Amino acid sequence: MNRIKRTNIFKIFEHQRPQPKTELRYTNVFELLIAVILSAQATDISVNKITNVLFVKAKTPDDVIKLGESKLMQIIKSIGLYRSKARNIIRTCEILSSEYNNKVPENRELLERLPGVGRKTANVVLNTYFGWNTIAVDTHVFRVSNRTGIATGRKVEIVESKLDRLIPDNYKKNAHHWLILHGRYICKARTPLCHRCPISVLCEFKQKNTTEANPS
């Protein structure tokens, strides 16, 4: 995909959603961090149902530690990997409490040291809360980037590197959200809704579904 096409795609995304944001519910950076940890292999809807309960009971790392791993597991057991997520969240809260005075650090290296926090989670927190121009590559971003031709690659890190290099700077802050929302609602995994796609004429996907017969 050439530079002009790519730029025009993000112009369309910006026109469609001038101020995109995550669909995870949170009121502070700690809640965002916990919500993103919970969102691995889970939908934002399912995470929001859990955090609506969890964040009433626990608003700080110390609150979560007092809650304890077993009670935390009971609250989050409706989503996948809940046992390991509970364990990682407790350990992360212990580190935040003991080393960072209950504060979430605005630092990629320190974030990635936290249990359950990988590069994608760190990028989400740095972008969504702190306003960094980071691009978190989840399954939606990876699929949309490859399918459209915006940035192709077989590995997440390759796609992230290309997106960071190829997306114009003025679109980087919101690119992560635009690509996620596009993948969630239009460029779906099994049956992309190409007939409803605002960037269809620019997209380089060869097997476009241009009719309404098989939307999912």
Side-chain angles (χ1 to χ4, degrees):
M1 179 176 286
N2 63 43
R3 179 181 59 84
I4 295 174
K5 265 190 182 182
R6 192 177 292 106
T7 299
N8 285 336
I9 283 174
F10 284 98
K11 282 182 180 178
I12 291 169
F13 283 156
E14 183 178 48
H15 177 75
Q16 184 185 34
R17 292 187 176 95
Q19 295 181 315
K21 59 183 180 180
T22 181
E23 294 183 326
L24 292 171
R25 295 176 191 155
Y26 67 96
T27 61
N28 55 54
V29 64
F30 172 67
E31 290 183 358
L32 175 62
L33 175 65
I34 298 305
V36 179
I37 293 173
L38 290 170
S39 71
Q41 298 185 38
T43 66
D44 286 0
I45 292 173
S46 65
V47 172
N48 287 336
K49 288 179 180 177
I50 287 170
T51 55
N52 281 345
V53 175
L54 176 61
F55 294 155
V56 171
K57 297 176 180 292
K59 297 182 180 294
T60 68
D62 284 340
D63 290 340
V64 175
I65 294 167
K66 290 175 184 175
L67 188 65
E69 188 173 330
S70 61
K71 287 184 179 178
L72 179 58
M73 278 197 293
Q74 287 301 308
I75 294 172
I76 71 171
K77 66 180 180 181
S78 61
I79 60 173
L81 308 175
Y82 74 94
R83 294 180 188 276
S84 61
K85 287 176 182 178
R87 183 168 58 252
N88 285 334
I89 287 171
I90 291 292
R91 289 169 58 205
T92 283
C93 287
E94 289 172 345
I95 293 171
L96 292 176
S97 177
S98 63
E99 298 185 27
Y100 304 116
N101 193 30
N102 281 321
K103 307 291 185 183
V104 175
E106 186 183 350
N107 180 291
R108 179 191 300 284
E109 183 180 351
L110 296 181
L111 283 171
E112 290 186 26
R113 282 183 50 214
L114 300 172
V117 178
R119 185 175 181 84
K120 185 198 81 171
T121 298
N123 276 342
V124 172
V125 172
L126 291 170
N127 173 273
T128 303
Y129 191 83
F130 293 113
W132 289 27
N133 288 342
T134 55
I135 301 170
V137 180
D138 69 351
T139 56
H140 294 303
V141 175
F142 185 80
R143 178 178 68 256
V144 171
S145 298
N146 273 287
R147 184 183 276 167
T148 60
I150 291 172
T152 59
R154 293 186 178 183
K155 295 183 178 180
V156 167
E157 56 266 29
I158 293 174
V159 171
E160 181 188 335
S161 177
K162 285 187 176 181
L163 288 171
D164 187 58
R165 177 167 52 88
L166 296 172
I167 293 175
D169 287 344
N170 55 310
Y171 295 121
K172 279 184 184 176
K173 183 178 177 181
N174 291 323
H176 159 78
H177 298 295
W178 285 324
L179 292 169
I180 284 179
L181 294 169
H182 189 67
R184 184 171 292 160
Y185 296 111
I186 300 293
C187 199
K188 298 183 179 183
R190 292 188 179 182
T191 311
L193 307 183
C194 302
H195 60 284
R196 290 173 46 192
C197 178
I199 64 165
S200 182
V201 295
L202 299 169
C203 170
E204 297 184 352
F205 183 47
K206 298 188 185 303
Q207 292 86 40
K208 288 188 175 75
N209 171 37
T210 56
T211 70
E212 292 191 52
N214 300 308
S216 63

